[in-house]
Amino acid sequence: MQPDEYEYEHRTIDFFTKDALPAPRMAPAEAELIAAEHLGITARAQALGSQQDANFLLHTDDGTPAAILKIANPAFGTVEIDAQDAAADLIASARPELRIATVLRRPDGSPRRTTVDTEDGPAVARLLRYLPGGTLSGPRHLSADTVAGMGTLAGQASTALRDFRHPGLDRVLQWDPQHADRVVAKLAGHIDETDRRTAVQAATAEAWAYVQKLGATLPSQAVHLDLTDDNLIRRPDSRPPMPDGVIDFGDVTTSWAVGELAVSLSSMLHHDGVEPHHVLPAVRAFHAVRPLSAEEAEAVWPLVVLRAAVLVASGRQQAAVDEDNAYAKDALDREWRIFEQATRLPLPVMTRLIRDATGMADVPAETAQTAETAETAQTARTAQADASLRPLLRDLAAGDITLLDLSTDADSMDHGAWTDAGTEARLVTSALADGAAAVATRYAHARLARTPALSAVSTATVPTGIDLWLGRDAVVQAPAAGKVLAAAPGHVELTYGAQTLTLSFPRAVQPVVTTGATVQAGEDITHLSSGASVHVALRDADGPAAPRLVRPEYAAGWLALTADPAPLLGLPAGSDRTHERDLLDRRDATFATVQEHYYANPPRIERGWRHHLLSTDGRSYLDIVNNVTPLGHAHPRVEQAVSRQLRRLNTNSRFHYASVVEFTERLAALLPDPLDTVFLVNSGSEAVDLGLRLAIGASGRQDVVALREAYHGWTYASDAVSTSLQDNPNALATRPSWVHTVDSPNSYRGRHRGPDAVRYAPEAVAVIDELAAAGRPAGAFIGETFYGNAGGVALPDGYLAQVYAAIRRHGGLAVADEVQVGYGRLGHWFWGFEQQQVVPDIVCVAKAMGNGHPLGAVITSKAVADRYRHQGYFFSSTGGSPVSSIVGLTVLDALRDEDLQGNAARVGGHLKSRLEALADRYGIIGAVHGSGLYLGVELVRDHVGLEPATEETAELCDRMLDLGVIVQPTGDHLNILKIKPPLCIDTTAADFFADVLDLALTQLGHSR
């Protein structure tokens, strides 16, 4: 041991003069001795992992973390340690909202550090501030918010260090991307597997060449250079984990400023389920704090690749020279995963994605070759413009070509045609049979038939070229003068200005040109027979060859490197696609924002089929929330019935026609006596509003008793009895005086739980009796018959029987809200009140009645209905219209004919058993509620206090969307997954939901 006063050294490290940098070997007992004798703290030491230093967490006797003891690698001089501490202090001062692991100081302000002897020479030991909360390291999936938080913090650190200068920054580190090529060259020999070593070397060479093209355009500054998941500390109790702390300034140096972002991005790539596109929120967040130049945006992904290559090579070397370093060895697999993800796509694709994410898609980056490249491109364009362009297919006019629309919007995808693998071939055959000379697909428009109905990963649906099928013999000719780059059976590539034109046709067909030949506009390329197909693609001459179809998440990157070949066929280019963010902005500009949309970045849904929803990107999602369409989306019988009726008549119900009579008869027949009279309206809100007016009018009493935590609608009366705090945080404080609430009879998380839930009914009865005793007897009691808003919680047995009896005893009426749970959704019962073995006086129903068509109803007795005349007349323009009545009849027919209530019982029972099995494995699942296909999975942070896992539920729903499932939270605490899919859902889809939920819970770290 050396004395506390250490000798100040101005030396800094040069990695390339060192054979290796093994971490100092130091036992916890030695660390405790250093802390006690030289740093003034008596504590127990716990070893922490590190690549090249020795770190210890110091605990006081009661186990409280006191500080971090960091023993730097002996290769680092004291001037470097000074720079690290100064950089930490600077960020802490500039960004007080962040927690920074600064050096602890003595009363005189001097740092608490000393010099100690190690096997490899003297090393600086010092005490650093301990930051509670834990790091972001580990396999846990990183949500978009967490990723964005990492990007924001990296941007904040970068801005704080922008003007920092210190002699200790003048160092040559293996982690500095400015030296990445040399580091890999030096260490690649430690990668034993030949294929991996070759891959690392090749990726390094390509990325380094890419960066070098940018020349001196990348600004340099002081950088932390290790803002990774290992060194970002999550805010205590943040959910999802959000970083607000920074540790380990050991890699502080002067380097390219954009490297700060690249290092952080690379560390995200090993987390469960994270792909390259998942890091884009961090890019946007960094750019918002510390704007990137076009050149820096161009450099980001090559630097990510270089970082990944250095990690792999360095990790293998460190594990070899420091055999006892478990931290280094444990990192090898995740370092390789980082490399795999970093090199998953060609560099230009990821670069274009990053430029698109930062709003610089059309901003050119200045490179050492920019002027030359621009001049060459302009020359090529000019030459092309001056040339006599010819259509790619000789003697084939654009009018002879039938465009085949295979997108989400296409009529050809109706009736579930997209689920048939042979749909595209059938459509082509049909068009050719109808006389088309050729049939062509569309560039950049997702081909819906290429998506599977159920998939946890998006599939390649977005075309980067055009497919063409010929109905007659055709000659493929050169559209302009160019050079043949490749010619082989079934394949030709030739230059087309600054682009490469690729033609793929049957392998049995030989081109008539040869590789290396120069062709003139109109010169034959190949001859194709009727029935042949050809794929046509245009890409940047220096860009990578694009797959025929690419995944939606990466389409912006690929499409930026390709072009629409339609003009080569005489067809107009049609690649413009509405930017989804622009569409959301337009929605917010004209559609009242209080009418919220699911998800912060929602997919654009333009088609549905059965229990599937489809986005314009060609992604299929399992719909788990849509109780509006019990028959399933786009049900053919409903579509045909509506279309037929609209061709004949649609008017208001004051006219005399048969369908309204037939529908109301059918509806009344589904209810027990004396419920025999029907009012037709347009929505659940209107149904509840009318139901309350009927009850108040018939009873002659204005007061209403309602359940807490319930939602009934948005009209004045239905909103008045809605007490859901999620729908209105001030609900209980803003109820009108005529509304009186009773406890939510929630047997899981209410005041009375489990067997004690029998106490709810007597307490509700007491409130009703007290109102009567006070001279204000209630005219109505309203409640859901199966507690839908709380996630499908069944009411305690006998609850409604006691409450209905009490309300009727004082002259009031029982109003049942069946809007969500009625119409067979519960499986074992068509109506929720059947589960309670009661008969209401008034039943309100909607949603399921119209399968998406606006239709609602109130069913009551003739005596109650007739009393409404004392309040005037009732009329709804479209409630009970011919179209609405036909829809209602068709839905009832399909429910019966397809046994959808039985399906709800069977599939719902199977799904509930799967969910209950997950509850045994995941502590966050507190309960599985519900019956049939009205289920709820309640997520809690503990099983005693039942603290709602609100943020975890939101994060889970976002992750499920990424995995192909649309599910949303419900309940006053938004901690319940509401599971109310179309009643046509099958066991395969139910299992897919359970499997994806299982996967998402594991990825988000919720395993027991």
Side-chain angles (χ1 to χ4, degrees), residues 3 83 94 188 196 199 283 338 476 689 729 757 893 943 985:
R196 291 192 174 188
V283 175
I338 288 171
V476 180
D689 194 289
D893 288 344
H943 284 241
I985 190 173

Side-chain angles (χ1 to χ4, degrees), residues 161-327:
L161 293 174
R162 178 178 292 155
D163 299 321
F164 178 55
R165 305 287 186 272
H166 195 285
L169 300 178
D170 185 17
R171 51 206 309 234
V172 179
L173 297 177
Q174 72 188 99
W175 310 113
D176 187 340
Q178 294 179 119
H179 312 302
D181 63 325
R182 296 169 61 200
V183 172
V184 172
K186 177 177 180 176
L187 303 181
H190 291 278
I191 306 174
D192 294 331
E193 306 93 333
T194 303
D195 56 339
R196 291 192 174 188
R197 182 171 62 253
T198 300
V200 168
Q201 290 170 327
T204 300
E206 181 188 12
W208 186 251
Y210 211 94
V211 172
Q212 288 300 102
K213 289 179 183 179
L214 297 167
T217 62
L218 300 179
S220 294
Q221 66 167 71
V223 286
H224 180 285
L225 212 57
D226 203 12
L227 295 174
T228 67
D229 55 341
D230 284 337
N231 293 326
L232 295 182
I233 305 299
R234 59 181 290 179
R235 187 173 64 249
D237 300 323
S238 60
R239 301 179 178 93
M242 295 297 292
D244 75 337
V246 180
I247 63 174
D248 196 352
F249 282 72
D251 293 339
V252 166
T253 190
T254 298
S255 186
W256 292 318
V258 68
E260 199 79 280
L261 173 61
V263 167
S264 192
L265 297 181
S266 67
S267 74
M268 304 170 189
L269 295 176
H270 72 88
H271 287 262
D272 283 351
V274 172
E275 298 181 25
H277 73 87
H278 286 111
V279 309
L280 294 178
V283 175
R284 284 188 284 266
F286 183 95
H287 183 61
V289 176
R290 190 278 189 193
L292 295 165
S293 67
E295 295 75 34
E296 288 178 313
E298 194 86 9
V300 168
W301 206 256
L303 293 178
V304 169
V305 172
L306 291 173
R307 171 72 174 190
V310 168
L311 283 173
V312 172
S314 297
R316 294 302 184 92
Q317 184 241 13
Q318 192 71 20
V321 302
D322 198 0
E323 295 182 355
D324 295 332
N325 192 331
Y327 176 88

Side-chain angles (χ1 to χ4, degrees), residues 635-646 883 886-887 890:
H635 195 282
R637 288 175 68 175
V638 175
E639 176 225 336
Q640 292 160 12
V642 169
S643 176
R644 180 178 183 276
Q645 187 59 47
L646 281 172
V883 167
I886 286 295
V887 168
T890 305

Side-chain angles (χ1 to χ4, degrees), residues 457-729:
V457 179
S458 69
T459 51
T461 57
V462 181
T464 60
I466 284 177
D467 283 314
L468 194 70
W469 293 266
L470 299 176
R472 66 188 189 206
D473 295 351
V475 175
V476 180
Q477 62 183 1
K483 181 178 181 181
V484 179
L485 302 175
H491 181 79
V492 170
E493 283 190 10
L494 64 155
T495 61
Y496 179 70
Q499 297 171 315
T500 297
L501 172 63
T502 302
L503 304 171
S504 303
F505 38 87
R507 289 184 59 82
V509 177
Q510 283 278 0
V512 298
V513 294
T514 58
T515 300
T518 298
V519 294
Q520 300 302 315
E523 189 172 333
D524 288 7
I525 300 297
T526 191
H527 302 154
L528 297 175
S529 302
S530 175
S533 62
V534 58
H535 180 77
V536 185
L538 274 174
R539 73 173 193 272
D540 291 352
D542 59 351
R548 293 189 180 190
L549 296 169
V550 296
R551 291 175 57 197
E553 296 91 339
Y554 302 107
W558 281 110
L559 295 179
L561 301 170
T562 63
D564 190 349
L568 296 178
L569 301 170
L571 300 170
S575 61
D576 289 342
R577 304 192 304 167
T578 301
H579 197 287
E580 303 310 325
R581 178 50 60 183
D582 291 343
L583 193 64
L584 280 176
D585 290 342
R586 287 165 53 196
R587 170 182 171 132
D588 290 342
T590 57
F591 192 64
T593 54
V594 71
Q595 302 170 96
E596 298 176 349
H597 52 74
Y598 293 142
Y599 306 107
N601 294 294
R604 181 178 166 193
I605 302 297
E606 297 285 0
R607 179 176 291 276
W609 174 247
R610 292 178 59 79
H611 43 279
H612 307 287
L613 291 170
L614 297 121
S615 74
T616 51
D617 282 332
R619 178 83 192 267
S620 176
Y621 297 91
L622 174 61
D623 180 3
I624 289 294
V625 300
N626 236 310
N627 61 344
V628 174
T629 51
L631 309 185
H633 299 285
H635 195 282
R637 288 175 68 175
V638 175
E639 176 225 336
Q640 292 160 12
V642 169
S643 176
R644 180 178 183 276
Q645 187 59 47
L646 281 172
R647 293 198 304 270
R648 285 160 173 73
L649 173 71
N650 197 27
T651 185
N652 67 66
S653 58
R654 288 178 171 180
F655 288 91
H656 181 47
Y657 47 87
S659 58
V660 72
V661 179
E662 294 169 3
F663 178 45
T664 52
E665 286 177 341
R666 286 276 299 279
L667 191 55
L670 293 169
L671 288 130
D673 291 335
L675 303 174
D676 57 4
T677 304
V678 179
F679 293 80
L680 292 177
V681 292
N682 303 298
S683 69
S685 295
E686 292 180 30
V688 170
D689 194 289
L690 177 58
L692 291 173
R693 291 185 65 183
L694 285 169
I696 291 170
S699 67
R701 289 154 184 172
Q702 298 294 316
D703 291 270
V704 175
V705 175
L707 294 177
R708 297 188 192 118
E709 298 183 27
Y711 175 77
H712 297 288
W714 56 266
T715 65
Y716 177 75
S718 60
D719 176 70
V721 295
S722 294
T723 51
S724 166
L725 298 180
Q726 183 54 47
D727 295 291
N728 179 1

Side-chain angles (χ1 to χ4, degrees), residues 678-967:
V678 179
F679 293 80
L680 292 177
V681 292
N682 303 298
S683 69
S685 295
E686 292 180 30
V688 170
D689 194 289
L690 177 58
L692 291 173
R693 291 185 65 183
L694 285 169
I696 291 170
S699 67
R701 289 154 184 172
Q702 298 294 316
D703 291 270
V704 175
V705 175
L707 294 177
R708 297 188 192 118
E709 298 183 27
Y711 175 77
H712 297 288
W714 56 266
T715 65
Y716 177 75
S718 60
D719 176 70
V721 295
S722 294
T723 51
S724 166
L725 298 180
Q726 183 54 47
D727 295 291
N728 179 1
N730 300 313
L732 294 178
T734 58
R735 293 311 84 203
S737 61
W738 51 271
V739 174
H740 311 274
T741 62
V742 295
D743 258 351
S744 160
N746 189 323
S747 58
Y748 177 68
R749 72 158 47 253
R751 287 196 307 119
H752 308 307
R753 302 176 181 178
D756 289 342
V758 297
R759 298 168 60 183
Y760 285 118
E763 290 178 354
V765 168
V767 171
I768 294 169
D769 289 343
E770 288 168 5
L771 283 171
R776 299 184 63 178
F781 168 85
I782 184 168
E784 289 183 289
T785 54
F786 204 95
Y787 221 1
N789 198 63
V793 179
L795 302 179
D797 289 345
Y799 180 85
L800 287 184
Q802 296 178 62
V803 175
Y804 281 10
I807 203 74
R808 288 167 174 158
R809 187 167 62 249
H810 298 293
L813 300 180
V815 181
D817 183 345
E818 294 274 354
V819 171
Q820 295 213 64
V821 300
Y823 256 56
R825 178 160 291 279
L826 297 175
H828 302 290
W829 309 280
F830 192 85
W831 302 107
F833 62 75
E834 293 174 327
Q835 185 265 343
Q836 287 281 301
Q837 299 180 6
V838 295
V839 177
D841 300 301
I842 299 169
V843 174
C844 306
V845 61
K847 289 194 187 297
M849 293 180 66
N851 204 58
H853 182 85
L855 181 57
V858 177
I859 308 98
T860 187
S861 64
K862 185 172 180 57
V864 171
D866 287 346
R867 293 290 298 275
Y868 188 86
R869 288 195 175 275
H870 297 300
Q871 302 180 60
Y873 71 94
F874 175 80
F875 171 66
S876 175
S877 293
T878 55
S881 70
V883 167
S884 294
S885 298
I886 286 295
V887 168
L889 281 166
T890 305
V891 169
L892 288 177
D893 288 344
L895 283 171
R896 177 199 61 211
D897 298 345
E898 297 173 24
D899 187 25
L900 293 183
Q901 182 180 349
N903 192 64
R906 292 186 296 273
V907 176
H910 172 75
L911 178 55
K912 188 172 184 180
S913 68
R914 289 289 314 272
L915 297 174
E916 288 172 337
L918 292 181
D920 292 336
R921 293 175 45 209
Y922 296 98
I924 195 172
I925 299 179
V928 179
H929 307 301
S931 173
L933 287 172
Y934 202 107
L935 304 174
V937 176
E938 184 149 2
L939 306 181
V940 297
R941 292 172 184 159
D942 70 273
H943 284 241
V944 178
L946 304 184
E947 181 184 0
T950 301
E951 290 79 12
E952 293 91 331
T953 306
E955 184 185 28
L956 179 61
C957 289
D958 285 341
R959 183 62 187 140
M960 294 283 282
L961 178 70
D962 204 29
L963 294 171
V965 174
I966 292 179
V967 64

